[in-house]
């Protein structure tokens, strides 16, 4: 059976990242670099994946997709040597192998697919993805014969001054006929300026055997960029981020100043939603239709329903019902389930709580580990005292209850439906339905106290 196998090279040290983390584990738009390369390979129709690991192999294994096979390159003796580590696995396969590097996250499945089609239709034994570069310094150069056919690839360090003028470079991505690659690998030598086994030399070897080499030039050279340092990490993230945001825009989402936003790859956003400047939407977040999000809002792994407004707030692992208004300056911590038509105002923190439909928590409150019913009013600066120093306890507030300002609800405690709590009360016992709980000292007036003390300002 003919199949497409992908080998991803990720054994290199990534020295220029100056990081204790493996290079391909560094993230852009919320995903490791490696995952973008894996996705592009899958979109090309590659069924099986082989990863060549070396430096920080354990870290890379952690982000390796299920079903991928890993091989270890103990010493990094060059890109050809890296592919040799996959030989035993490749011998069991028949068809084409796509070779990629783990640090080129900008490459798209579409481009790889077009290159693969080209490779097959030309009956090439190898097809190199190439690009014309303004500044080709550092890359391998594509050598062509007078008829324009690919002849070989020469590395920067081994190139003559004339060859260095060539602007067409090797992307480091290739499609090989598996059998031809295996035979060329067995002939690789390391007699070059770096003493490495260059994968690039296989191209010349195949041609000398009378086999066919071709090139597929990508139209946008950005796609083949590699990430070697943190400035390139930023460059790649800008490209990927712009792509993600453009996709949302074309689906009917408005972004104001999108360059100030970071939208992770798997985030979904409904049409007619407006994203204001300074928003970060992360993880598996889903935003409904006709919402207004931002400015300066961070939403992580949360579901936001239609027509929700969130201003200057942080929402993590929570759900928000339709038509609810949040912020400015609200903080929804994990496990918050907010109903419809709710208002959560400024400096309100909610944690692991249910907030029923039409309930208002307008200002300066903490609601933690609570079940708040429908149509409830939680007055300004009210607090659920959910922690006794050892354990967390729940607070229950029934439908249509009215909690006045500056109330402490000392959990575990229950306020039944339709009850009222007077401002300033500290509630430690159940409040029955339709009753008023008031817990505070009667006010005392000492007439002319200020004058008697001589404190009056005449
Ligand atoms: C390589 C190509 C060069 C091309 C460039 C594109 C060779 C000899 N040269 O050069 O023509 O223009 O990529 O970016 O192939 N790796 C291993 N094991 C090794 C060596 C490298 O796994 O022993 C991996 C690295 O982790 C990296 C990739 O292979 O992902 C490329 O290695 P790198 O050293 O960056 O190759 P270049 O010298 O840049
Ligand atoms: Ca490189």
């Amino acid at each position: 059976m003919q199949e497409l196998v992908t080998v991803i090279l990720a054994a290199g040290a990534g020295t220029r990242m100056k990081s204790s983390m493996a290079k391909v584990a560094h993230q852009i738009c919320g995903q490791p670099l490696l995952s973008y390369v894996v996705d592009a390979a899958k979109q090309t129709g590659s069924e099986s994946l082989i990863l060549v690991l070396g430096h920080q192999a354990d870290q890379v294994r952690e982000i390796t997709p299920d079903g991928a096979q890993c091989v270890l390159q103990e010493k990094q003796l060059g890109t050809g040597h890296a592919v040799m580590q996959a030989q035993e696995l490749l011998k069991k396969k028949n068809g084409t192998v796509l070779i990629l590097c783990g640090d080129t996250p900008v490459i798209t499945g579409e481009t790889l697919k077009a290159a693969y089609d080209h490779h097959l239709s030309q009956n090439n034994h190898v097809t190199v993805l190439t690009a014309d570069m303004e500044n080709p310094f550092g890359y391998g150069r594509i050598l062509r014969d007078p008829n324009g056919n690919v002849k070989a690839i020469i590395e920067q360090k081994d190139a003559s001054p004339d060859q260095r003028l060539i602007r067409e470079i090797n992307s480091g991505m290739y499609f090989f006929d598996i059998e031809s690659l295996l035979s060329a690998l067995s002939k690789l030598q390391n007699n070059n300026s770096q003493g490495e086994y260059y994968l690039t030399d296989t191209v010349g070897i195949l041609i000398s055997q009378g086999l066919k080499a071709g090139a597929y030039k990508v139209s946008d050279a950005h796609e083949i960029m590699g990430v070697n340092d943190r400035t390139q990490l930023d460059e790649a993230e800008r490209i990927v981020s712009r792509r993600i945001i453009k996709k949302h825009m074309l689906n009917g989402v408005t972004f104001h100043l999108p360059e100030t936003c970071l939208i992770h790859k798997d985030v979904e956003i409904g049409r007619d939603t407006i994203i204001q400047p300074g928003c970060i939407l992360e993880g598996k977040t889903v935003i409904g239709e006709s919402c207004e999000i931002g400015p300066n809002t961070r939403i992580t792994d949360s579901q936001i329903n239609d027509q929700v407004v969130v201003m200057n707030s942080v929402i993590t692992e929570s759900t928000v019902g339709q038509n609810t208004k949040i912020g400015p300056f609200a903080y929804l911590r994990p496990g918050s389930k907010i109903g419809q038509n709710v208002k959560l105002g400024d400096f309100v923190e909610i944690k692991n709580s249910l907030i029923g439909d039409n309930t208002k928590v307008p200002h300066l409150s903490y609601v933690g580990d609570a079940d708040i019913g429908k149509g409830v009013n939680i007055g300004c600066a009210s607090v659920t005292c959910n922690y006794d120093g050892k354990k967390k306890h729940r607070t229950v507030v029934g439908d249509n209850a009215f909690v006045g300002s500056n109330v402490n609800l000392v959990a575990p405690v229950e306020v039944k439906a339709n009850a009222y709590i007077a401002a300033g009360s500290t509630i430690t016992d159940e409040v029955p339905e339709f009753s008023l709980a008031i817990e505070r000292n009667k006010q005392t007036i000492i007439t002319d106290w200020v004058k008697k003390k001589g404190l009056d300002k005449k």
Side-chain angles (χ1 to χ4, degrees), residues 7-8 11 50-54 57 61 69-73 82-87 89:
V7 174
I8 300 180
I50 302 168
L51 255 87
V52 182
L53 308 183
R61 246 184 222 109
Q69 290 177 286
C70 295
V71 294
L72 197 64
Q73 184 193 24
V83 177
M84 285 176 201
Q85 312 311 307
Q87 270 179 134
L89 292 173

Side-chain angles (χ1 to χ4, degrees), residues 86-105:
Q87 270 179 134
E88 291 309 312
L89 292 173
L90 287 174
K91 276 179 191 159
K92 297 177 199 148
K93 311 275 183 183
N94 217 326
T96 306
V97 57
L98 163 60
I99 298 191
L100 299 171
C101 298
D103 60 358
T104 56

Side-chain angles (χ1 to χ4, degrees), residues 16 23 103 139 226 228:
R16 280 173 285 166
K23 177 163 77 173
D103 60 358
Y139 287 97
N228 295 306

